[in-house]
Amino acid sequence: MGRSVLRQYLTIWYGNLPEEVGFLARRLSASPLRELCVAVLFLLFFIPFPTLLSTRAKSNPYAVPPLALSILSGILLERYVFLAPVVRLSPGALAIDFACLLLLFLAVVLQRFQGASLDA
């Protein structure tokens, strides 16, 4: 995830592509998208990275799922930030998509926990 953003940034910077700078400037200057970009940064980096630096947090089964949910939320929010100026998305449809992905995530996590408790 971070590598794709870095690649996009390096391509714009090395290529000196002014048409691509407008793409980023539009998203960072408008009020609702600016706050969403900050939220994406926190959900994808500032929350998971410092937390996962400790060995105790990485091995704690109660700490990893909320961090994974934070990363999943950040990825979905980033996709919304990229598509919002181009495609008209309704908040209801976005909420339904997020709820479906959340249920799928919870089903996988619960299946893993049940499999782990049966093996023990």
Side-chain angles (χ1 to χ4, degrees):
M1 184 48 129
R3 289 182 184 171
S4 65
V5 173
L6 179 66
R7 277 184 247 161
Q8 182 180 10
Y9 172 73
L10 287 176
T11 303
I12 293 168
W13 185 59
Y14 277 126
N16 195 13
L17 304 172
E19 64 272 4
E20 294 295 328
V21 174
F23 169 79
L24 293 173
R26 264 195 318 270
R27 281 161 176 76
L28 294 175
S29 65
S31 178
L33 293 178
R34 180 180 49 224
E35 286 81 13
L36 290 177
C37 287
V38 171
V40 166
L41 187 63
F42 272 90
L43 289 171
L44 290 178
F45 182 72
F46 288 121
I47 294 173
F49 181 71
T51 307
L52 290 174
L53 283 176
S54 73
T55 307
R56 183 180 292 169
K58 286 185 270 194
S59 61
N60 185 355
Y62 297 108
V64 174
L67 291 173
L69 188 61
S70 166
I71 294 169
L72 178 66
S73 302
I75 290 171
L76 289 173
L77 200 58
E78 183 204 16
R79 299 299 186 245
Y80 178 74
V81 167
F82 280 146
L83 293 176
V86 180
V87 178
R88 177 71 67 185
L89 296 173
S90 68
L94 187 65
I96 290 171
D97 289 344
F98 182 74
C100 290
L101 286 172
L102 178 63
L103 289 174
L104 180 65
F105 171 75
L106 290 175
V108 169
V109 168
L110 289 175
Q111 183 182 17
R112 299 273 173 141
F113 277 141
Q114 288 176 352
S117 65
L118 292 176
D119 292 338

